[in-house]
């Protein structure tokens, strides 16, 4: 572990290029796509994410509005806001930032969003379309992972891919997208027997478990491509991925850093989804 062998996949630069492409296509539309972001309560991390989404959308020429609701809002009140946004012709994309306070069922809220405006791709209709190969709106972080792999020139056809984590937001959709791209996909998780051995078989490893630096250098095959979706706050305040970066970079063929890897792609893909939803709705 003396030097970095891996090529660094620069998510910040790839995301900036995608945002510029979205801005150029938006400017040529003749109308402004609308994005409504709903933030409930005062979770500091959610507030940071929502501010970034709002700012990036405005920079891309999207008419973004953030609707802030108190942590005490009832589920009925939030559903009424969603219904109003569904009916608003100027709104092309609706995003309700998660997590929601305990009195609100996230599932009920997600299912209330018009699937055509569901720029997170979380509605069961969009989840179903992702799995039957007819997707229009794909969850932003998984879409960003696929774009990073494409930009890095990774050949997925026939490749052994391992997805570490089976969440509805990242692990499951990433596995579906990798399968659609003709990779041979294993989904590993907290109950997987001999996780290091499973990881070592992978030519492409996507880590999305939310545990800081859980994946060690000796879990990674020489030359493997490592995509680190984790964003974890260490006790000393630093951000760390799910992968022990320095160890992994010494053996991997290519790797995404944290920060500056998958994170910036999530927002860029949200903008692309909003543009896509706007074009699909308004022709
Ligand atoms: N909270 C953490 N990630 C996300 C996301 O991608 N979308 C929403 N709506 N909330 C989140």
């Amino acid at each position: 572990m003396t030097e970095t062998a891996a090529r660094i996949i620069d998510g910040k630069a790839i995301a900036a290029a995608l945002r510029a492409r979205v801005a150029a296509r938006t400017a040529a539309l003749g109308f402004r796509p609308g994005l409504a972001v709903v933030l409930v309560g005062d979770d500091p991390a959610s507030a940071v994410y929502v501010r970034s989404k709002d700012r990036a959308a405005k920079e891309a020429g999207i008419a973004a509005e953030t609707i802030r609701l108190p942590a005490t809002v009832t589920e009925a009140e939030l559903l009424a806001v969603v219904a109003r946004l569904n009916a608003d012709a100027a709104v092309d994309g609706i995003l309700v930032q998660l997590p929601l306070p305990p009195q609100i069922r996230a599932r009920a809220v997600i299912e209330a969003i018009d699937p055509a405006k569901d720029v997170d791709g979380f509605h069961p209709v969009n989840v179903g379309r992702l799995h039957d190969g007819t997707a229009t709106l794909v969850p932003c972080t998984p879409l960003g992972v696929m774009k990073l792999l494409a930009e890095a020139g990774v050949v997925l056809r026939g490749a052994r891919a391992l997805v570490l984590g089976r969440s509805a937001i990242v692990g499951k959709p990433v596995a579906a997208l990798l399968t659609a791209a003709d990779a041979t996909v294993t989904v590993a998780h907290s109950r997987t027997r001999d996780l290091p051995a499973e990881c070592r078989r992978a030519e492409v490893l996507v880590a999305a478990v939310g545990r800081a630096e859980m994946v060690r250098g000796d879990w990674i095959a020489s030359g493997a491509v490592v995509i680190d979706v984790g964003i974890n706050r260490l006790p000393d305040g630093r951000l760390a991925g799910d992968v022990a970066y320095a160890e992994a970079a010494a053996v991997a063929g290519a790797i995404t850093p944290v920060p500056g890897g998958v994170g910036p792609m999530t927002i860029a893909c949200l903008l692309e989804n909003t543009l896509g939803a706007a074009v699909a709705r308004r022709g």
Side-chain angles (χ1 to χ4, degrees):
M1 208 189 88
T2 50
E3 62 189 289
T4 297
R7 189 156 52 91
I8 294 168
I9 302 173
D10 186 349
K12 205 172 155 188
I14 295 167
L18 176 56
R19 283 165 59 169
R21 285 199 299 279
V22 171
R25 286 171 57 204
T26 298
L29 277 181
F31 67 91
R32 279 163 76 87
L35 172 65
V37 179
V38 182
L39 174 62
V40 180
D42 30 43
D43 177 63
S46 289
V48 170
Y49 291 137
V50 163
R51 254 198 309 279
S52 301
K53 290 171 182 179
D54 188 271
R55 185 181 334 118
K58 287 182 169 121
E59 281 171 13
I62 291 166
E65 59 166 330
T66 298
I67 297 156
R68 291 183 174 77
L69 300 171
T72 54
V73 74
T74 66
E75 185 178 293
E77 287 166 336
L78 179 54
L79 290 175
V81 170
V82 170
R84 173 172 69 71
L85 296 171
N86 282 342
D88 185 340
V91 172
D92 298 289
I94 301 169
L95 183 154
V96 178
Q97 185 69 23
L98 304 177
L100 291 167
Q103 77 274 16
I104 297 172
R105 296 168 300 158
R107 175 125 301 261
V109 175
I110 289 165
E111 289 184 6
I113 296 171
D114 178 349
K117 298 188 176 188
D118 169 37
V119 285
D120 260 330
F122 293 168
H123 191 285
V125 164
N126 288 320
V127 175
R129 285 181 181 150
L130 176 62
H131 286 268
D132 76 8
T134 62
T136 47
L137 290 168
V138 174
C140 304
T141 298
L143 185 57
V145 167
M146 298 307 289
K147 286 181 187 289
L148 288 176
L149 290 167
E151 288 286 333
V154 176
V155 176
L156 292 172
R157 184 171 207 174
R160 271 194 306 277
L162 182 122
V163 181
L164 185 49
R166 55 179 160 178
S167 70
I169 290 184
V170 183
K172 285 192 178 97
V174 166
L177 291 166
L178 289 168
T179 304
D182 297 328
T184 301
V185 181
T186 300
V187 179
H189 45 76
S190 55
R191 299 288 178 270
T192 294
R193 215 177 319 122
D194 201 349
L195 204 44
E198 288 293 341
C199 290
R200 274 193 290 271
R201 272 197 283 278
E203 296 164 299
V204 176
L205 194 158
V206 179
V209 276
R211 301 223 352 229
E213 299 177 341
M214 178 175 141
V215 178
R216 310 309 307 190
D218 65 0
W219 295 25
I220 292 166
S222 175
V225 177
V226 178
I227 306 290
D228 190 350
V229 182
I231 302 178
N232 309 288
R233 186 72 67 179
L234 296 176
D236 68 7
R238 281 184 306 128
L239 286 182
D242 292 346
V243 178
Y245 182 83
E247 291 177 18
V251 289
I255 188 167
T256 60
V258 176
V262 174
M265 294 302 292
T266 297
I267 290 183
C269 290
L270 170 67
L271 307 184
E272 190 180 63
N273 276 351
T274 303
L275 172 62
V279 170
R281 288 185 59 248
R282 307 200 210 191

